[in-house]
Amino acid sequence: MRELSVTVLENKKIAEEIYSLTFATEETVPVQAGQFCMIGVGEKPLRRPIAVCKAEGERITVCYRLKGEGTRKLASDYKAGEKLSVLMPLGNGFYLTDTQKKIAIVGGGVGIFPLVAAIRQYAKSKRLYAYMGFRNRDALCMEYEMERCERAVFASDDGSFGFHGNAVEAFCNDLLHEKFDAVLACGPTPMLRVLKNSLKGTGIPCYVSLEERMGCGIGACLVCVCNLTNGAHARVCKDGPVFEINEVEL
């Protein structure tokens, strides 16, 4: 983990309340898919945790949803040429073994962004099947990244495009006739809970990136503690954010 002063290259709206921020570092920062960064916004001490979407040498892209004062300030005040303070890379990312060849990728909402990083990392060595869910057509974004996959299914909650339903439902339709070596997932907790139940008895390992509120991003403040199924606790920022789905309570 490093504290970096980075230069904003681009900060633009790409979907309803969704922005893509690209910044340049002074040196190449190695980032594993699933890792995240903490971005300082304004003068407040707390940083905003945002998953890395693309890591291309000295060029890093993150995507975020307008949610509170910090993200709205990030969208409005930080244009090309502005400086940002960033802690990265943080957390543990997605790791697949050599024997895991056919991979399902299931994402919903802003959970698609760390999965875009996974697609970019594994597209050349794995057979990827993507199932991505959005609220409606206005929320659709990053669909061109799914062209790297062998199969890509887009779902919308309101049926305005693609599969009418959510990403887990779309995935389960294919699970009836497809065999996967592993699943990578990220999205709202209710979505992950349904996915966990859907995978019971299949023997398919599933690695999930949890979305939790964070304070420091380095494991010191304990804001993002989650419960493990063995009765212990874990810090999502330090011990995760990626866990095997059966390790965590959802």
Side-chain angles (χ1 to χ4, degrees):
M1 181 271 291
R2 308 177 196 174
E3 182 171 8
L4 305 170
S5 176
V6 305
T7 303
V8 175
L9 299 178
E10 185 178 64
N11 192 12
K12 65 179 182 179
K13 184 177 181 180
I14 59 171
E16 184 179 42
E17 296 193 327
I18 299 293
Y19 279 72
S20 172
L21 166 67
T22 300
F23 55 81
T25 60
E26 294 181 352
E27 57 186 291
T28 298
V29 180
V31 181
Q32 178 78 12
Q35 290 187 303
F36 66 99
C37 59
M38 297 289 289
I39 299 180
V41 181
E43 297 179 356
K44 291 190 175 181
L46 290 181
R47 300 170 183 262
R48 270 62 185 179
I50 306 178
V52 174
C53 185
K54 304 177 189 178
E56 303 165 298
E58 299 173 3
R59 186 182 177 99
I60 306 292
T61 298
V62 301
C63 296
Y64 60 97
R65 173 183 290 154
L66 298 184
K67 192 172 183 179
E69 178 186 349
T71 50
R72 294 185 184 279
K73 185 175 181 62
L74 182 61
S76 64
D77 294 1
Y78 290 87
K79 308 301 182 184
E82 296 283 345
K83 293 288 187 178
L84 279 169
S85 174
V86 178
L87 291 177
M88 67 175 298
L90 298 169
N92 298 300
F94 293 107
Y95 289 91
L96 294 170
T97 67
D98 291 340
T99 59
Q100 293 170 325
K101 294 294 187 182
K102 188 174 179 179
I103 312 299
I105 297 179
V106 184
V110 294
I112 73 167
F113 301 126
L115 297 175
V116 166
I119 289 170
R120 294 172 67 89
Q121 181 169 316
Y122 289 113
K124 292 183 179 180
S125 60
K126 310 291 184 183
R127 297 174 58 200
L128 304 180
Y129 288 59
Y131 306 87
M132 299 297 184
F134 304 86
R135 292 193 307 276
N136 51 44
R137 183 176 293 277
D138 290 337
L140 177 65
C141 58
M142 292 286 178
E143 64 271 27
Y144 59 90
E145 293 287 350
M146 313 310 162
E147 294 175 2
R148 304 169 189 267
C149 300
E150 188 165 317
R151 172 167 164 75
V153 179
F154 299 98
S156 56
D157 294 340
D158 65 354
S160 56
F161 71 94
F163 176 83
H164 188 179
N166 59 53
V168 176
E169 291 172 328
F171 163 68
C172 288
N173 281 350
D174 276 8
L175 189 59
L176 296 173
H177 54 83
E178 298 282 1
K179 293 183 179 180
F180 297 102
D181 298 319
V183 178
L184 307 183
C186 185
T189 298
M191 185 201 96
L192 298 180
R193 189 179 299 124
V194 173
L195 178 62
K196 184 176 183 177
N197 290 332
S198 300
L199 290 171
K200 284 182 178 178
T202 65
I204 303 172
C206 176
Y207 308 100
V208 295
S209 178
L210 299 186
E211 299 177 345
E212 290 286 345
R213 290 179 60 88
M214 294 181 187
C216 67
I218 59 174
C221 70
L222 305 181
V223 168
C224 63
V225 167
C226 69
N227 297 323
L228 301 182
T229 52
N230 65 4
H233 307 285
R235 299 159 297 179
V236 172
C237 67
K238 185 75 171 180
D239 304 312
V242 176
F243 297 88
E244 209 287 324
I245 200 168
N246 292 312
E247 294 178 346
V248 291
E249 292 185 1
L250 296 170

